[in-house]
Amino acid sequence: MSLNLTVMLDESAKVRPQKPALVLGEEKVTYAALREASMRFAAALSSLGIEPGDRVAIMVPNVPQFAIAYYGILRAGAVVVPLNVLLQGPEVAYHLGDSGAKVLVAWDGFLEAAGRGYEEASGCGHLIVAGEKEEVPEGALGFRELLEQNPPEFETVQTMPDDTAVIIYTSGTTGRPKGAELSHFNLFYNAVCNADKLVQTSEEDAGIAALPLFHIFGQTAVLNTFVYSGNTITMIPRFEPEAVLGAIERDRITIFTGVPTMYQYLLHHPAADAHDTSSLRLGISGGASMPVEVLRRFEEKFGITILEGYGLSETSPVVCFNRSAEERKVGSIGLPIWGIEAKVVDEDDREVPRGETGELVVRGHAIMKGYYGRPKETAEAMRGGWFHTGDLARMDEDGYIFIVDRKKDMIVRGGYNVYPREVEEAIYEHPAVAEVAVVGVPHEELGEEVVAVVVPKEGARVEEEEIIAFARERVARYKYPRHVVFVDELPKNATGKILKRELDPERLGPEVRRSR
């Protein structure tokens, strides 16, 4: 039996042809128009010699052209390779070379880096430029012109469920990024589960693409979920709290999907009370652990329920979710979704008793085929038929899973394990703290010392000793930070996830290497 992810778009276009699928400011693209444009782009790729299984990279922000290219590539039987729009030239070249991409579709606003990467990469035959002005450099092709030149009908290539649909690159926290191969079935069924069993979308719902669509969270939980349900998606090219709040009010958004830092920015934005956000019925959070205090304050202020889930690039991404306000356990990532098994294991891959901490491993329909071109890394990650997430977790008696921390973020202080998230949760309760990241830095006697890097709330005044004393009252003596570093902002990736690896221990001061 064949399956191509574009069936979701085709079915919604059949049922709701004139309903807006995508909204960007005043621009509206109906489902019929999105389907036709994807066919034109598929025909264009075919005319350029792209065959089923070839890889086509997209370096485009949250604009309609992303969705057109995405479904057009899939319709042609090719493989989508989404690229972070913030990549620099050498990084673009690496991704193109590693994936073997034959075409790069780039937004003109990022053309300098994209063009450099394209020139440096070997084997990438065509550069297609999309944009508002679409000023196409010599030797490149124009996206709009290609759509105009090609027919509005194209016979969708009949791919098989296990054929690769998308190669999504990991963030590279443990080395060079690896491409996770996700099949048409991986992505199709994850979107169906998300829409029908988790979020439970209806005709009245409207979503918002504040998450970048080049990230798997945005692709599945926003683009594919709402296209499958035939809902309208408002596109936000770059996350800005004011733009999001304005879009929620203007387009009567019912479901907001984001990472915890997005909720924090919306919560603390001075114009939050000036916008009518009463249309919101649900918040979906993932990508990182949601601080309980942030969740509580957001729900109180906006009058909605936030349901937290969990997933990774390698898992399409959703594998765990809190089902509803009645069933959820605040602070947990919920239960494994339908068709997914999960367990917590020790270093020898033996399941640990309920309540004990170990590595979370999962298996089921959402798990990737493997890392593209990396059989060794694939075998290591998939030991015993279970995908090893690298996240430390515990499972309670009811089967609810609580993420303790990233395995690699754990701090060993004087022989004791310190899980940064537990300390961060305590510090978030301080009324002057907007954001915090707890990290371990080398220490002469203890091996590692605990340091809190804090972003104070705007206008708040707080001293290091105050934060230390506040944490000391809430966590065990070996866990509380001995040093606090105040910064204006924390480094984040494109989805808003805090990048602890960029908090260089050497820059946090030599004094943290001595006892306190």
Side-chain angles (χ1 to χ4, degrees):
M1 182 182 72
S2 62
L3 174 67
N4 189 298
L5 197 58
T6 56
V7 68
M8 300 188 301
L9 171 57
D10 292 345
E11 289 298 319
S12 290
K14 188 187 302 180
V15 176
R16 304 180 180 93
Q18 298 311 311
K19 182 172 182 176
L22 310 171
V23 173
L24 180 62
E26 298 301 315
E27 181 184 359
K28 290 181 172 62
V29 180
T30 66
Y31 270 97
L34 176 57
R35 180 175 184 269
E36 179 184 308
S38 73
M39 286 191 165
R40 289 180 182 273
F41 193 65
L45 291 175
S46 181
S47 71
L48 294 175
I50 296 303
E51 299 179 349
D54 287 344
R55 275 77 62 204
V56 178
I58 312 177
M59 190 172 171
V60 175
N62 290 9
V63 292
Q65 289 90 333
F66 183 98
I68 293 168
Y70 184 85
Y71 291 117
I73 295 165
L74 295 172
R75 196 177 294 283
V79 178
V80 180
V81 183
L83 300 185
N84 188 326
V85 297
L86 300 181
L87 293 178
Q88 295 301 307
E91 296 170 310
V92 174
Y94 167 76
H95 285 78
L96 295 177
D98 188 74
S99 65
K102 292 190 175 180
V103 176
L104 170 61
V105 183
W107 190 248
D108 58 9
F110 306 103
L111 196 54
E112 184 177 348
R116 181 183 169 192
Y118 168 75
E119 292 293 337
E120 291 179 9
S122 59
C124 192
H126 300 283
L127 174 62
I128 300 174
V129 178
E132 295 176 53
K133 297 178 181 177
E134 206 163 289
E135 296 176 356
V136 182
E138 186 177 349
L141 301 166
F143 188 87
R144 187 184 304 115
E145 188 177 358
L146 283 174
L147 295 186
E148 292 170 352
Q149 289 175 348
N150 282 276
E153 292 294 333
F154 181 86
E155 186 174 348
T156 302
V157 173
Q158 295 302 291
T159 50
M160 300 304 290
D162 196 45
D163 285 345
T164 302
V166 172
I167 296 177
I168 194 86
Y169 275 82
T170 62
S171 57
T173 55
T174 58
R176 301 210 78 173
K178 302 184 290 290
E181 288 192 77
L182 303 177
S183 70
H184 286 268
F185 184 76
N186 286 152
L187 295 166
F188 175 81
Y189 206 72
N190 211 245
V192 170
C193 281
N194 198 48
D196 292 347
K197 297 180 181 296
L198 307 179
V199 181
Q200 298 180 12
T201 53
S202 69
E203 280 190 43
E204 290 71 39
D205 280 318
I208 186 166
L211 289 164
L213 296 178
F214 58 72
H215 191 277
I216 192 59
F217 190 11
Q219 269 173 63
T220 292
V222 180
L223 182 62
N224 287 330
T225 290
F226 290 118
V227 165
Y228 164 77
S229 299
N231 298 126
T232 300
I233 305 168
T234 292
M235 307 193 94
I236 306 293
R238 181 171 177 269
F239 177 79
E240 294 173 342
E242 179 68 35
V244 171
L245 291 166
I248 291 172
E249 179 176 23
R250 184 191 68 230
D251 298 332
R252 308 305 294 160
I253 303 300
T254 62
I255 300 173
F256 178 78
T257 309
V259 294
T261 50
M262 290 181 175
Y263 285 93
Q264 291 184 60
Y265 286 140
L266 294 173
L267 177 64
H268 298 303
H269 195 271
D273 293 329
H275 290 279
D276 177 7
T277 58
S278 61
S279 60
L280 285 175
R281 72 169 181 86
L282 184 64
I284 305 297
S285 180
S289 296
M290 167 72 86
V292 174
E293 188 64 17
V294 173
L295 181 143
R296 184 185 64 78
R297 290 178 187 171
F298 195 96
E299 291 189 338
E300 285 179 359
K301 184 178 182 66
F302 289 89
I304 67 168
T305 297
I306 297 175
L307 299 179
E308 190 170 3
Y310 168 87
L312 305 99
S313 297
E314 295 92 336
T315 63
S316 303
V318 187
V319 287
C320 294
F321 197 73
N322 278 282
R323 304 292 200 276
S324 65
E326 294 73 31
E327 295 179 82
R328 74 175 178 175
K329 290 192 179 185
V330 172
S332 83
I333 57 171
L335 300 164
I337 68 171
W338 190 94
I340 296 294
E341 296 176 77
K343 62 181 181 179
V344 179
V345 301
D346 62 18
E347 291 185 356
D348 296 316
D349 286 339
R350 294 174 301 202
E351 190 167 3
V352 303
R354 295 289 174 99
E356 290 191 13
T357 297
E359 183 177 4
L360 178 63
V361 297
V362 294
R363 69 181 178 186
H365 58 76
I367 312 306
M368 67 173 181
K369 294 170 63 175
Y371 293 116
Y372 181 73
R374 288 179 168 82
K376 199 171 171 184
E377 287 92 334
T378 299
E380 173 63 21
M382 295 296 299
R383 297 189 307 276
W386 293 79
F387 176 69
H388 290 61
T389 67
D391 284 319
L392 294 169
R394 60 182 174 81
M395 185 183 291
D396 70 11
E397 291 301 322
D398 298 321
Y400 282 76
I401 299 168
F402 295 77
I403 295 296
V404 175
D405 229 311
R406 284 294 296 171
K407 194 173 180 180
K408 292 180 171 56
D409 287 343
M410 186 179 74
I411 303 164
V412 182
R413 182 185 187 273
Y416 290 94
N417 293 343
V418 179
Y419 302 112
R421 187 189 176 190
E422 182 183 3
V423 185
E424 290 163 358
E425 289 281 2
I427 296 174
Y428 265 116
E429 294 179 18
H430 193 288
V433 173
E435 288 186 306
V436 60
V438 170
V439 297
V441 299
H443 190 278
E444 294 170 355
E445 301 164 12
L446 300 170
E448 286 185 290
E449 184 56 279
V450 182
V451 176
V453 185
V454 170
V455 178
K457 287 181 182 175
E458 189 173 352
R461 294 180 62 84
V462 62
E463 300 296 330
E464 180 182 26
E465 292 296 343
E466 184 181 342
I467 296 294
I468 293 172
F470 187 84
R472 188 168 53 222
E473 293 174 0
R474 288 162 173 78
V475 297
R477 178 170 177 76
Y478 67 89
K479 297 177 182 177
Y480 74 84
R482 268 50 177 190
H483 297 272
V484 177
V485 177
F486 294 100
V487 296
D488 293 331
E489 60 180 358
L490 292 170
K492 299 182 181 73
N493 66 11
T495 63
K497 186 175 182 178
I498 295 170
L499 298 174
K500 290 186 178 181
R501 67 181 184 274
E502 292 189 11
L503 295 171
D504 184 0
E506 294 299 324
R507 296 173 59 189
L508 298 182
E511 68 277 4
V512 302
R513 290 162 180 73
R514 298 187 296 273
S515 296
R516 179 169 181 157

